Amino acid sequence: MVAALVLAIVLYGFIQISEGGDDEDRRVMIDPAPATGAMIGVKPASFLQINEFRDGESQRLRLSGEAEPGAVIVLTNRGERLRQTRVNDLGQWGVTLNIEDGPMVLEAQLYGGEDRPSVRSEETVFRLPVPESDDIATANYTTPALIMVTAPGGPSRVIQSPFGGAPTSGPLSLSVIDYDFRGGVIITGTSSIPGRVRIYSQNAAIGETGIGVGGRWNYIAGRILPRGQLEIRAELIPAAGALNAPTEPISVSVPFNFLRPLSEDETDGSGALSVNFEPLQWQVRRTLIGGGGQSTVIFSPDAAE
């Protein structure tokens, strides 16, 4: 596959991500942004539900989540204020936004009162539209944009894929690979069968991870993969006695390539973002506030080898 288009956009904000579950609380990504949401006694805003929908002639985005009851949430896009809402007594909040033509990078800033500092959310929502002038003849987009929740130090969640799905074999899928520019990697997928997932690189086993609640799994590694083009394979190991467990081995393989690390000038903390579009995968690269950089790779279902 050959990259056909690189889109570079200067963005102004980027933050951390945190998501619970089996193996998901460990952090090995090397270049985290400064912690802004970790304050004792304050619950930063989180994004729990994200849904894109058509309202008449308009495309809209509905977001909801949790935060400290009674606080005010201010939603921003690339640092520009969009909407303000108050968290109810149950710690729930929600807004509906008009979708903009270009990329959207959404943060939630929490304000607890005049005598308390604001708290930046631990999550960022990206909405990256399919390029309008696309000369990748074999690309098969089924939705208008990629929507994902991500930040340094944790696995990204794809809410909506432009490809309409992820590489899948039976009950097992491999959906996202996150990596930083020093070699830390997080591989993410799902399984409808409980058990474990064994990860291979170039047919060599490099580790295993458990399948968490809801079928989500993450494999986290620090600097163990070489640079260059690799084949990454996930193999399902069903739990003993698992209902509907397959009788034959189930695995999913995808091609993976570390792009070159960004230079010091490119990782100056500006929050710059670029998207490398290929027919069967996108690589979303961004620099981080405070320095460093990180990439997220999402795959078309046709990328499975």
Side-chain angles (χ1 to χ4, degrees):
M1 296 180 291
V2 179
L5 178 64
V6 175
L7 171 67
I9 309 134
V10 175
L11 302 174
Y12 298 101
F14 201 81
I15 53 178
Q16 295 178 309
I17 192 168
S18 162
E19 182 177 343
D22 185 31
D23 294 326
E24 293 180 10
D25 288 332
R26 295 178 291 162
R27 297 290 181 265
V28 300
M29 305 300 274
I30 306 302
D31 298 312
T36 56
M39 296 181 60
I40 297 175
V42 176
K43 182 178 183 179
S46 63
F47 296 94
L48 298 182
Q49 298 292 330
I50 303 169
N51 179 42
E52 181 172 342
F53 65 98
R54 180 164 291 280
D55 183 9
E57 297 298 320
S58 301
Q59 199 77 3
R60 311 194 74 188
L61 191 66
R62 182 183 293 114
L63 305 103
S64 62
E66 295 180 344
E68 184 179 8
V72 171
I73 301 292
V74 174
L75 272 293
T76 62
N77 177 27
R78 290 178 284 176
E80 297 293 327
R81 183 188 181 106
L82 285 182
R83 189 68 55 81
Q84 175 177 310
T85 188
R86 185 171 294 277
V87 185
N88 67 21
D89 293 340
L90 299 177
Q92 302 167 341
W93 64 271
V95 297
T96 299
L97 305 175
N98 292 324
I99 286 178
E100 301 183 5
D101 292 336
M104 300 178 72
V105 180
L106 304 173
E107 298 177 345
Q109 198 85 3
L110 182 144
Y111 294 85
E114 294 183 0
D115 58 342
R116 301 172 65 181
S118 63
V119 181
R120 181 180 293 171
S121 60
E122 295 179 340
E123 299 174 317
T124 298
V125 176
F126 285 83
R127 185 189 186 274
L128 306 177
V130 169
E132 292 183 2
S133 57
D134 183 12
D135 60 356
I136 307 174
T138 57
N140 183 22
Y141 300 130
T142 63
T143 67
L146 165 67
I147 300 176
M148 68 178 186
V149 183
T150 186
S156 296
R157 290 184 286 144
V158 173
I159 307 301
Q160 174 180 282
S161 169
F163 302 111
T168 301
S169 176
L172 180 68
S173 73
L174 193 163
S175 54
V176 178
I177 297 179
D178 293 294
Y179 67 97
D180 66 18
F181 300 142
R182 297 182 184 178
V185 177
I186 303 177
I187 304 170
T188 301
T190 62
S191 173
S192 60
I193 302 295
R196 298 188 65 78
V197 174
R198 181 172 296 151
I199 304 298
Y200 295 81
S201 173
Q202 301 296 89
N203 289 321
I206 58 175
E208 290 185 9
T209 186
I211 299 170
V213 176
R216 185 174 167 90
W217 58 267
N218 301 298
Y219 173 73
I220 303 176
R223 311 185 196 183
I224 67 170
L225 297 179
R227 302 284 179 180
Q229 186 75 36
L230 303 172
E231 179 192 73
I232 300 297
R233 176 160 54 95
E235 181 180 83
L236 176 64
I237 306 172
L243 188 65
N244 298 322
T247 57
E248 299 293 329
I250 297 292
S251 65
V252 179
S253 299
V254 295
F256 171 62
N257 185 33
F258 279 103
L259 295 183
R260 69 166 181 83
L262 298 180
S263 67
E264 291 185 5
D265 292 339
E266 293 172 303
T267 57
D268 59 359
S270 64
L273 174 133
S274 67
V275 185
N276 193 70
F277 300 101
E278 297 188 8
L280 301 179
Q281 64 177 260
W282 288 13
Q283 286 220 31
V284 181
R285 314 180 78 199
R286 61 268 188 196
T287 63
L288 308 178
I289 302 300
Q294 191 170 319
S295 288
T296 298
V297 191
I298 67 158
F299 299 94
S300 162
D302 296 332
E305 298 181 342

